[in-house]
Every structure is written in structure tokens, then in C-alpha cells.
Amino acid sequence: MFKGLFKKDPAYDAGRALYAAAVTQAREPALYAEFGAPDTVEGRFEQVALHVYLVMRRLKETQASRRVSQELFDAMFQNMDDSLRELGVGDLSVARKIRTMAENFYGRIGAYEAALKEDAEEGALRKALGRNIFENEDAPSAEAFEDYVRRVDAALCEQPAARVTGGIVVFPSVEPRL
């Protein structure tokens, strides 16, 4: 009778695994040392948001993958909530800060999604990355980030959907191309 109550949820587990992979990639030192991403709380949020978005973009195909995508989103914002509380942010402020972070995340998704469309204006992705990561559309490092994001997007698209939906994703090297 109680067996069903304690059954593992594969989507939940996959979402957590994908979030862990995205965070690991977002912490790659080359993103900060070679690409110039700001090594600040905001800069790290931008990297996590970017990598989570790219995985969510890959998960748009099926109902099962959309469920995993929702679990990935939930894992991200549960982690943000936990981190704010660990930093000593008061309980009354956490919900407001999380709401602001979610709004910022959705704004980035919209900008990146529009910039990655085939008919997007030339340089749209570079400008969106510059604006969000460097607070400057014309940031010199935005071009390297654009190349990296396109490589990640292509690499994720090549990975089998069942594997990604199962919580396994492999990101390409962060090293900039010469």
C-alpha cells in the first residue's frame, strides 16, 4: 500500500542531475579567466542561468522532457533559495529576491532564444550575452562567449534525447577557439 508513496521520480532525479552538470560547467575556471566572465555573485548567476537555459532548450522535444525541464528549473531556484538563506537573507526578503531572479532568468531565456533563431539579426546573440554577462552589448569578450554558446547548443542537440531526459549531459570544452 505504501510502496507508491516512496517511489522514485525519474524526472526529479534527472532534473537534479542536469542542474548539477550545468553548475559544474558554469564553474569552469576558463569562463572567468579566459572569457572574462565576472567572478562575482551576479557573474556566477549569469553563468548558471546560461547553462541551465541551454539544457532546457535541449529539453523542449517531448512531454517527458518538458517535465524534466521543469524539475531542472525547480532545482535551480531551490538552490538559489537555499543559497540566499545560507547568506543570511531574511525569510521575508527571500521570496522577493527569488521572484526577481526568476523574472531575470525568463528575460534572459527570451533574449537568448530570439538570438539563437535561424532568422535572428546578425550579432543578436553576442549583444544579448554582452548585455547580460558584462552589462555592455559591445563587450569584447562577448564574441568568445557567442562562439562558446553556439558550440554548447550544437553539442547538446547532438546528444540523444533519451539520455538528456535521463539526466546525462556532456558539455564541450570551455577553452576558447583560437
Side-chain angles (χ1 to χ4, degrees), residues 2-162:
F2 293 107
K3 239 182 200 178
L5 291 174
F6 301 107
K7 194 166 67 173
K8 286 196 172 246
D9 179 1
Y12 176 89
D13 293 341
R16 295 316 185 256
L18 292 171
Y19 180 67
V23 168
T24 298
Q25 187 72 3
R27 290 181 177 164
E28 277 292 318
L31 292 171
Y32 305 91
E34 302 294 327
F35 286 47
D39 194 3
T40 61
V41 172
E42 294 82 9
R44 289 190 177 257
F45 170 78
E46 291 298 336
Q47 292 309 305
V48 170
L50 174 63
H51 289 86
V52 166
Y53 157 69
L54 289 167
V55 175
M56 289 174 73
R57 179 175 161 80
R58 176 64 179 95
L59 287 168
K60 287 198 232 175
E61 293 182 4
T62 65
Q63 188 63 32
S65 62
R66 283 192 287 271
R67 177 119 194 293
V68 172
S69 183
Q70 181 62 53
E71 292 294 346
L72 169 57
F73 176 87
D74 293 348
M76 177 180 175
F77 281 94
Q78 181 62 57
N79 179 257
M80 297 296 164
D81 185 286
D82 294 344
S83 296
L84 287 171
R85 291 176 194 281
E86 285 177 18
L87 289 170
V89 175
D91 287 342
L92 298 175
S93 299
V94 170
R96 185 177 66 250
K97 289 185 181 294
I98 291 294
R99 184 173 37 258
T100 299
M101 292 169 99
E103 289 169 358
N104 290 341
F105 181 67
Y106 281 120
R108 280 145 182 77
I109 285 175
Y112 296 149
E113 195 65 28
L116 283 168
K117 287 185 178 178
E118 286 184 28
D119 62 346
E121 173 186 318
E122 178 74 27
L125 180 58
R126 183 174 37 250
K127 287 180 181 179
L129 291 164
R131 187 173 50 251
N132 292 321
I133 296 171
F134 303 104
E135 297 180 1
N136 175 4
E137 282 188 353
D138 300 318
S141 295
E143 188 172 345
F145 262 103
E146 178 182 27
D147 177 64
Y148 169 71
V149 167
R150 291 191 187 282
R151 285 189 292 126
V152 170
D153 189 49
L156 291 174
C157 286
E158 291 173 4
Q159 296 175 40

